Amino acid sequence: MKKEYLIYKLSDEVKNSCKIDNELFQKYGVKRGLRNEDGSGVLVGLTNIGNVVGYEIDDEGKPQPTQGKLFYRGYELDDLVEPLLSEKRFGFEEIAYLLLSGNLPDEEELEAFRELINENMPLDHRTIVHIIDLEGSNIMNILARCVLEMYTFDPNPDDISRDNLMRQSIELIAKFPTIIAYAYNIYRHSEQGRSLHIRHPKEGASIAENFLFMLKHDDYTELDARMLDLLLIIQAEHGGGNNSTFTVRVTSSTRTDTYSSIAAGIGSLKGPLHGGANIKVINMFHHLKEQINDWKNIDEIDVYLNRMLNKEAYDKSGLIYGIGHAVYTMSDPRAVELKKLAGELAKEKGREEEYEFLKLIEQEGIKCLMNFRKSRKPACANLDFYSGFIYEMIGLPQEIYTPIFAMARIVGWTAHRIEELNFEGRRIIRPAYKNILDRKEYVPINER
């Protein structure tokens, strides 16, 4: 039998071997996707870190839509972001300190923490050589492989004591920006023939400033850096139930090493249904700019969006990317903040007309989606709706949109890993799957 035919035959047989009747899930009370019938998540753990509020439970125990809220260690996101905006200062390191420790730092603690991050940003020369050898277009894969390689350079890679976990966490938070910037510069050199620059991070600069410096030298503004800083804050944490953080908690529950657990989280975030969605939104936006003649004509916008929902236009997926969320109902607080940031940046970049068009797409996209579904359940724009537009205005390439998400979320991942390994009564996470196949009698090979 030819090998090519065997692969086809095995693949064809999967059609039957993977078939499970839908009614069986209801019969056995299976929570597909760890989601209840009303769309809420199945409660599988407790945490002190992040809290995602998208609905309220009424007296009958049913979820009711509400304005979305996001809390970091008990502090509402708005309360953390607004002072940074008004004072025009960088805050990602401050939020990282909060998420790791549970407390906001005072000035002395924050300064020491910034210095510690800055000291750990440079890469081992062996890692730099490794990134050069790995040259490729998928920065997420390179990031995951570099994280796994860090295991070999760590003097205590398998030590899960609290002190060692904190050391590893700080080193990962500090090194992610450097790995991503270097990997993209090497990709740009090998794929686009551009000059290759390996810039050493600057002392005294924030993570956002250093990332832009390593990536673009001096081709960025102070507002660009502050917008990136706020994007990192907004994406740093989203509770224990999001797919990548849950992946980190599941793997951490086995007591595997930090690098294996974080690499697993990167693999989860890479998926287009998780961290890769912002690219879907910005590509859709470019398409709509070309297809819709009058960017202020609501009727023309509605006609085209309805064609998309009916799988007649764009990529014929039936989706309006960036609209809807698994938890948030009336609003996503991250999208609310990003919408304001996008407006401020659009003024500096002279892209107000595009910004107003994007806001109309959000407004009409929600309306068209709810009418299409004939549902009273509200929908809202999610984090991804404005993030890609902000990245684009800052001048960042699409190849690093999802890696930047990882650069922010590494804070939440490490905080949840530390918590998973340090609460009393911890157990390996091991849910159940019910086998529904009837027993078969073994047939000798010469009788098959």
Side-chain angles (χ1 to χ4, degrees):
M1 182 181 293
K2 292 184 178 180
K3 294 178 182 177
E4 293 81 3
Y5 175 73
L6 179 59
I7 292 173
Y8 168 79
K9 186 175 185 297
L10 289 167
S11 176
D12 189 58
E13 288 174 349
V14 165
K15 288 189 297 185
N16 291 323
S17 64
C18 289
K19 186 177 179 180
I20 299 175
D21 292 334
N22 282 328
E23 59 266 22
L24 292 178
F25 289 95
Q26 189 169 5
K27 176 182 177 181
Y28 293 112
V30 176
K31 309 292 188 180
R32 281 188 282 184
L34 290 180
R35 306 272 277 280
N36 296 308
E37 290 296 320
D38 58 18
S40 61
V42 174
L43 186 62
V44 297
L46 303 173
T47 181
N48 286 318
I49 302 171
N51 186 23
V52 182
V53 179
Y55 51 85
E56 295 176 343
I57 303 299
D58 64 18
D59 294 338
E60 297 179 0
K62 295 180 179 179
Q64 298 298 328
T66 188
Q67 296 294 339
K69 294 179 185 288
L70 177 59
F71 295 86
Y72 289 177
R73 294 287 189 177
Y75 296 96
E76 191 167 353
L77 179 64
D78 289 354
D79 294 336
L80 296 170
V81 168
E82 291 305 319
L84 300 175
L85 285 171
S86 62
E87 297 167 20
K88 295 186 176 181
R89 64 185 178 87
F90 296 95
F92 182 54
E93 291 84 350
E94 184 176 342
I95 301 305
Y97 187 105
L98 168 66
L99 289 170
L100 287 175
S101 72
N103 298 297
L104 285 168
D106 60 27
E107 291 183 356
E108 183 180 353
E109 290 168 335
L110 180 57
E111 182 59 31
F113 186 72
R114 287 182 184 277
E115 290 178 3
L116 188 59
I117 291 289
N118 204 265
E119 289 170 5
N120 280 282
M121 288 192 81
L123 298 180
D124 185 286
H125 72 278
R126 293 168 294 182
T127 302
I128 297 174
V129 171
H130 181 62
I131 295 173
I132 293 172
D133 288 341
L134 285 174
E135 64 179 53
S137 61
N138 198 292
I139 311 300
M140 288 292 278
N141 282 354
I142 294 174
L143 178 62
R145 293 172 71 174
C146 287
V147 167
L148 288 172
E149 187 183 50
M150 287 174 67
Y151 177 96
T152 64
F153 306 145
D154 190 323
N156 289 304
D158 295 304
D159 179 2
I160 60 171
S161 66
R162 196 168 58 247
D163 289 351
N164 200 56
L165 287 173
M166 190 60 73
R167 174 189 65 81
Q168 291 174 329
S169 299
I170 290 169
E171 289 183 5
L172 284 162
I173 292 166
K175 287 177 169 34
F176 264 40
T178 315
I179 294 170
I180 294 164
Y182 288 4
Y184 178 73
N185 284 337
I186 291 165
Y187 158 74
R188 187 179 64 173
H189 170 69
S190 62
E191 298 295 322
Q192 302 173 11
R194 303 283 295 278
S195 298
L196 176 58
H197 298 283
I198 301 294
R199 301 184 184 92
H200 194 77
K202 296 188 295 185
E203 291 184 14
S206 68
I207 285 178
E209 291 172 301
N210 255 323
F211 179 71
L212 291 175
F213 170 74
M214 289 187 287
L215 193 75
K216 306 174 60 163
H217 193 223
D218 57 0
D219 185 24
Y220 66 92
T221 68
E222 180 186 350
L223 184 59
D224 288 339
R226 286 200 298 110
M227 292 298 105
L228 178 59
D229 179 73
L230 289 162
L231 266 166
L232 295 175
I233 291 170
I234 289 168
Q235 297 180 100
E237 160 62 4
H238 209 234
N242 71 82
N243 198 285
S244 56
T245 302
F246 188 57
T247 297
V248 170
R249 294 200 73 134
V250 168
T251 51
S252 294
S253 76
T254 72
R255 301 194 184 187
T256 190
D257 67 278
T258 293
Y259 307 103
S260 295
S261 182
I262 297 303
I266 292 169
S268 167
L269 188 69
K270 181 188 173 189
L273 295 182
H274 191 3
N278 47 28
I279 297 174
K280 296 277 190 180
V281 177
I282 196 64
N283 287 340
M284 177 189 74
F285 183 49
H286 290 160
H287 176 81
L288 291 172
K289 285 194 296 183
E290 294 176 359
Q291 296 298 316
I292 295 176
N293 296 317
D294 184 354
W295 292 358
K296 298 179 181 179
N297 189 320
I298 290 178
D299 290 338
E300 185 181 0
I301 293 172
D302 285 357
V303 167
Y304 200 83
L305 292 177
N306 279 308
R307 288 186 61 208
M308 288 172 58
L309 289 169
N310 282 295
K311 301 183 179 182
E312 298 169 353
Y314 189 41
D315 62 0
K316 299 182 180 179
S317 65
L319 300 173
I320 300 175
Y321 295 109
I323 302 297
H325 191 269
V327 179
Y328 296 119
T329 50
M330 296 176 68
S331 64
D332 180 338
R334 304 168 302 169
V336 172
E337 290 292 344
L338 289 186
K339 187 175 183 176
K340 292 186 287 188
L341 301 182
E344 185 178 348
L345 197 56
K347 290 178 183 177
E348 181 183 273
K349 306 297 182 181
R351 298 181 68 172
E352 294 100 324
E353 189 177 1
E354 290 173 83
Y355 173 65
E356 293 300 323
F357 180 44
L358 187 58
K359 287 201 299 180
L360 268 183
I361 294 171
E362 176 195 4
Q363 172 188 300
E364 297 307 301
I366 292 170
K367 182 184 75 177
C368 290
L369 180 62
M370 290 181 66
N371 289 339
F372 181 79
R373 290 178 174 174
K374 296 180 175 58
S375 171
R376 293 184 179 180
K377 181 182 177 181
C380 64
N382 60 44
L383 166 74
D384 300 303
F385 196 83
Y386 287 97
S387 62
F389 185 51
I390 295 174
Y391 287 147
E392 188 174 88
M393 288 191 288
I394 294 174
L396 300 174
Q398 286 192 8
E399 288 85 356
I400 61 171
Y401 285 9
T402 309
I404 290 173
F405 198 160
M407 191 167 91
R409 190 55 62 84
I410 181 60
V411 175
W413 289 341
T414 51
H416 278 276
R417 173 171 167 79
I418 291 170
E419 185 179 66
E420 183 67 34
L421 290 170
N422 278 279
F423 72 87
E424 294 182 6
R426 61 183 182 270
R427 300 177 69 180
I428 186 172
I429 297 173
R430 206 285 190 197
Y433 271 69
K434 181 177 180 60
N435 191 293
I436 57 166
L437 194 64
D438 293 333
R439 181 176 176 177
K440 297 179 180 179
E441 294 297 329
Y442 177 77
V443 179
I445 189 167
N446 59 345
E447 296 179 16
R448 295 175 202 165

